[in-house]
Amino acid sequence: MIRESLSGKRIAITGATGFLGTALVERLLRAVPDCELVLVVRPGRRGAQSRVDRDILKNDAFDKLRTAFADDPVAAGGLEGETFADMCKRRITALAGDVATDGMNLDADGLALLGTCDIAIHSAAAVSFDSALDDAVEVNLLGPHRVAKALSDAAEAHNRPEPAHLVAVSTCYVAGSRRGKAPEQLVNESPFYVDVDWRDEVANARRARLQAESRSRTPECLKNLEKEAYNGLGPAGGPAISERTEQLRKRWVGKQMTAAGRSRASSLGFPDAYAFTKALGERALVETRGNVPVSIVRPSIIESALSEPSPGWIRGFRMAEPVIAAYARGLLKEFPGVPEGVIDVIPCDLVVATILAVAARGPKLDENGVDHPDVTQIASGASNPLEYGQMVDLVRIWFTEHPVYDEKNQPISVPEWSFPGRGRVSRQLGRARKGLDIAEKVLDALPLRGRQAEFGAGLEERKGQLEQASGYVDLYGAYTECEAIYGLDNMYELWNSLDEADRAAFRMDPKLVHWPTYIHTIHLPNMVKAARLKMSPGTRQSSSRNDRLRKQVLDPRRELAVFDLENTLIASNVVASYSWLATRHLDTPDRARFVAKTLREIPTLLALDRADRSDFLRYFYRRFEDAPVDRLAADSAEMLSDLLITKSFPAGIRRVREHRRAGHRTLLITGALELVIEPLRPLFDDIVASEMSITDGTYDGRLTGVPPTGEARYQTLVDYAEAHDINLQESVAYADSSSDLPMLEAVGFPVAVNPETKLASIARKRAWLIEHWDKSKGAPSRVLPIGPLSHGLARTRKILDRSKS
């Protein structure tokens, strides 16, 4: 019945790039060879057809059909000699449209094409449980109404006697947080439905967005966001801080809208904005459908396929996968829920079969031949319940037998949950986050870098994991505590009307699922692959990843390797080099006074450096005023062997030489004085450093330009690349501080070397290469380097010593 009824039909589908929509397209192409599809997709930058080709047809859902066409196109439902791509081109038309906008952005040709369709399946939705309120309203509430309006307008423009039959996909959770039976009835007919005007909710959601945008721009809010940006990036420079501040502002607005959605949904008895807007979307559709025949299909929580297109097939993470993955990695020690309650999940292929059966049946007509909106629910709780406690036990048993391995190649033991309430779990996570906040503040105050800083970055990562776990509790806790039982009377009426051939080809009875088999042999094995969980010890992932990244940075295709100097190539800084040069011509008492004075200044100098690197350098280089140019040149040459080489990182020097051997151009950009690093010039193709002006053979302590640090270092790199026709996306940058973030972000291959805490955290989050380079063993580790006595001063001291004797 299903295949025959849909044969020869032109079927429009929205949401085809999503999980359910992709499965619908695959099943129709494979099981109903004579139908044609019109896929309504947002065009994006590449256009609608490109999105269909890339985002839908390249998915592994079509592997079975691709193989069938390669073996025998006629048996696969195609024409003689036809390829899979040829068949798709013949049967699929891409239509640019957007259900989130009035009119769906359809032009006259698009409306005319829609007018040729016999059936429309509306599966597009904002499925995230933490969607912003207005986004959920535009897609989930107004989307079905807009599709019905477009079908009505298209039928009128195409002179069709009646519009296409609209099958709208909703959710069982429009029933809200009720307990007990939830029958297949329209939401406005439910005794639990709170009667609100959906038009008012649309207006209020849009107004809430404007109000949140306005509040985000108040001086107090912007000041807090700028402070947060600086705390996260450190002295990365004005442009980087400003860009981050704007990102945080937009994120703040998003959080406000998400919170508004949760609050409004909760006040009306819904678990979240998704269920709330879906319920109002049904109401709006039924009220405004006009003469468009409407059927509503409500699935529960859609999960991986039971068998079609292949066992365990899934697109993206659904509701259960993030929680299961976090549990397997040991991140969720507890999770709320009622162990005796039902976790109502349904495999996606059963949902697809139900939708196609409803579409094949057509609109429901009364005895007078008048169509009325009808509801068909597809869920498991009423006929084949999976208790929450049973599911947790099945997951625990599987991950006990197939553990995930941590970075140290140790199996992670999964805990046994005691099923506490959401409040208790949230408080536990909150206390853990506060402890990490305190530890993070203590570490931020310490000058950590390299492997020590990695510990601080690990704390931040752990804090992020706790926030993620807390988000799961907030998002999904209500669903694990839900005790509604969704009626299936209409679904079973439809199932019982099918013949044996249809029941074999379009399986939709939840009783067909054996939960232990489904979870242990179908869902979890495929889920861990999709989540890329480490399921065997083997080589440490971090090591293999670093080796892979090193090969990338040394690939001959790279064009430029740019290096910072201090703490990247040498374990020294401008204070140390100045100390060496300043004490070169001092006698012992003056040296002692110099060291004592400099050590007292270190806290002040550190504070200046953290506040603004450029201002610090200008302030510090004033000390070179009246220094003889010739004498400093001679002293710097000697300092190369006594300080710079002994403080250098051999692995760093080797890396510079490796780049040169690979044919890469090498560039050193440093805020250190050119006179100090001049002896290093043979190591690089070019050097850009700070320069001081000269008057009558002495330095005046004033820089000739902006020191190349922070955003100035980034601009120096950009100008250099333009001058030498270098592609920065094929270039490598090495640096140690978050102040170098603009330069690191400018290249295609950033490398964090001995990073301080903030950069270590950023590099880990962005999966950059992190190098830990050490000094040579036995190298001196003086806190403040002292230059050896100059030859003239040493000779004078010997004469004085002899005269005293």
Side-chain angles (χ1 to χ4, degrees), residues 470-519:
S470 182
Y472 293 154
V473 171
D474 292 339
L475 288 176
Y476 307 133
Y479 287 88
T480 60
E481 294 174 340
C482 180
E483 296 183 78
I485 302 298
Y486 305 107
L488 302 176
D489 293 345
N490 293 342
M491 189 281 294
Y492 272 115
E493 179 184 339
L494 186 57
W495 172 251
N496 292 330
S497 70
L498 302 180
D499 58 27
E500 289 301 318
D502 273 338
R503 289 190 183 190
F506 299 92
R507 304 198 304 166
M508 53 194 259
D509 185 357
K511 295 176 184 176
L512 297 171
V513 184
H514 180 252
W515 293 116
T517 301
Y518 171 76
I519 292 174

Side-chain angles (χ1 to χ4, degrees), residues 31-246:
V32 189
D34 299 324
C35 70
E36 295 181 13
L37 305 181
V38 175
L39 305 185
V40 184
V41 296
R42 286 179 297 187
R45 293 192 302 269
R46 298 180 301 275
Q49 186 61 55
S50 177
R51 285 205 70 198
V52 168
D53 293 338
R54 196 191 76 162
D55 298 341
I56 302 173
L57 298 178
K58 284 189 177 181
N59 189 272
D60 60 356
F62 298 90
D63 286 351
K64 180 188 291 186
L65 195 52
R66 265 188 287 266
T67 301
F69 265 83
D71 293 340
D72 187 343
V74 175
L79 305 177
E80 185 70 37
E82 191 174 40
T83 65
F84 172 77
D86 294 336
M87 180 274 294
C88 291
K89 188 175 182 179
R90 174 172 59 86
R91 296 179 57 193
I92 296 176
T93 304
L95 174 59
D98 186 0
V99 301
T101 59
D102 289 335
M104 292 176 57
N105 282 344
L106 294 174
D107 57 20
D109 291 340
L111 207 60
L113 178 61
L114 203 61
T116 66
C117 294
D118 306 290
I119 300 167
I121 301 174
H122 174 54
S123 69
V127 297
S128 174
F129 294 113
D130 59 348
S131 294
L133 174 60
D134 58 328
D135 291 342
V137 161
E138 295 296 340
V139 177
N140 296 340
L141 195 163
L142 291 174
H145 153 73
R146 288 170 176 147
V147 173
K149 176 92 168 44
L151 292 174
S152 178
D153 293 344
E156 184 176 346
H158 205 259
N159 295 319
R160 288 179 64 101
E162 69 174 24
H165 174 209
L166 174 58
V167 181
V169 181
S170 185
T171 174
C172 285
Y173 291 93
V174 298
S177 302
R178 72 167 68 179
R179 295 180 177 179
K181 293 183 178 180
E184 296 164 298
Q185 59 187 181
L186 299 173
V187 290
N188 56 308
E189 297 173 356
S190 168
F192 298 96
Y193 180 70
V194 179
D195 191 11
V196 294
D197 191 320
W198 59 268
R199 295 177 180 82
D200 289 343
E201 298 301 320
V202 172
N204 287 330
R206 291 171 174 171
R207 187 162 52 248
R209 167 69 68 172
L210 295 176
Q211 292 171 344
E213 288 282 353
S214 179
R215 290 199 305 274
S216 75
R217 290 174 167 83
T218 60
E220 181 181 4
C221 186
L222 290 174
K223 183 178 179 180
N224 291 334
L225 294 173
E226 186 176 4
K227 181 179 179 181
E228 184 180 349
Y230 184 86
N231 289 339
L233 298 180
I241 298 297
S242 297
E243 183 179 358
R244 180 60 174 163
T245 300
E246 179 60 14

Side-chain angles (χ1 to χ4, degrees), residues 442-463:
V442 171
L443 289 176
D444 281 345
L446 299 175
L448 303 178
R449 65 174 54 255
R451 292 181 176 85
Q452 295 172 325
E454 284 276 290
F455 178 75
L459 276 183
E460 185 171 337
E461 188 175 301
R462 177 62 179 166
K463 181 181 174 184

Side-chain angles (χ1 to χ4, degrees), residues 166 197 225 275 333 406 416 429 432 476 546 700 710 734 790 804:
L166 174 58
D197 191 320
L225 294 173
K333 305 300 182 184
D406 62 19
E416 289 195 37
L429 294 172
Y476 307 133
N546 282 346
D700 62 7
Y734 296 82
S790 66
K804 288 179 182 179

Side-chain angles (χ1 to χ4, degrees), residues 230 234-237 605-616:
Y230 184 86
L605 295 176
L606 282 173
L608 285 172
D609 192 18
R610 286 184 174 182
D612 191 292
R613 179 70 173 172
S614 295
D615 290 346
F616 161 74

Side-chain angles (χ1 to χ4, degrees), residues 504-687:
F506 299 92
R507 304 198 304 166
M508 53 194 259
D509 185 357
K511 295 176 184 176
L512 297 171
V513 184
H514 180 252
W515 293 116
T517 301
Y518 171 76
I519 292 174
H520 278 181
T521 66
I522 297 176
H523 184 72
L524 291 179
N526 285 276
M527 189 221 81
V528 297
K529 290 179 184 177
R532 296 184 178 180
L533 298 181
K534 186 180 178 183
M535 302 306 295
S536 60
T539 305
R540 287 182 59 177
Q541 289 181 340
S542 58
S543 299
S544 60
R545 182 176 61 84
N546 282 346
D547 291 341
R548 185 176 68 254
L549 292 175
R550 287 189 190 100
K551 289 180 181 178
Q552 291 177 1
V553 302
L554 291 171
D555 190 294
R557 290 174 295 180
R558 304 294 87 82
E559 299 180 18
L560 171 70
V562 56
F563 293 84
D564 178 29
L565 178 65
E566 298 171 359
N567 296 309
T568 301
L569 294 176
I570 61 172
S572 185
N573 53 54
V574 297
V575 176
S577 58
Y578 172 77
S579 172
W580 193 98
L581 293 169
T583 57
R584 180 87 165 91
H585 301 278
L586 296 180
D587 58 20
T588 301
D590 287 340
R591 288 181 173 217
R593 283 189 288 270
F594 173 87
V595 171
K597 178 184 177 183
T598 305
L599 290 176
R600 287 195 301 269
E601 283 186 294
I602 284 179
T604 301
L605 295 176
L606 282 173
L608 285 172
D609 192 18
R610 286 184 174 182
D612 191 292
R613 179 70 173 172
S614 295
D615 290 346
F616 161 74
L617 292 178
R618 289 191 181 93
Y619 166 80
F620 192 78
Y621 288 156
R622 299 279 197 279
R623 300 167 190 234
F624 283 89
E625 186 176 2
D626 296 329
V629 174
D630 293 340
R631 192 172 78 180
L632 280 186
D635 289 345
S636 295
E638 190 170 340
M639 187 174 63
L640 172 66
S641 60
D642 190 71
L643 177 65
L644 298 185
I645 296 300
T646 60
K647 290 279 190 177
S648 69
F649 302 130
I653 303 302
R654 284 196 298 271
R655 182 62 58 84
V656 178
R657 290 171 175 162
E658 286 174 325
H659 278 291
R660 298 194 75 170
R661 281 199 300 270
H664 308 156
R665 198 175 187 94
T666 55
L667 171 66
L668 175 67
I669 304 180
T670 175
L673 289 171
E674 185 180 42
L675 67 94
V676 172
I677 52 89
E678 182 64 26
L680 295 174
R681 188 171 292 278
L683 191 61
F684 301 92
D685 290 302
D686 292 291
I687 288 179

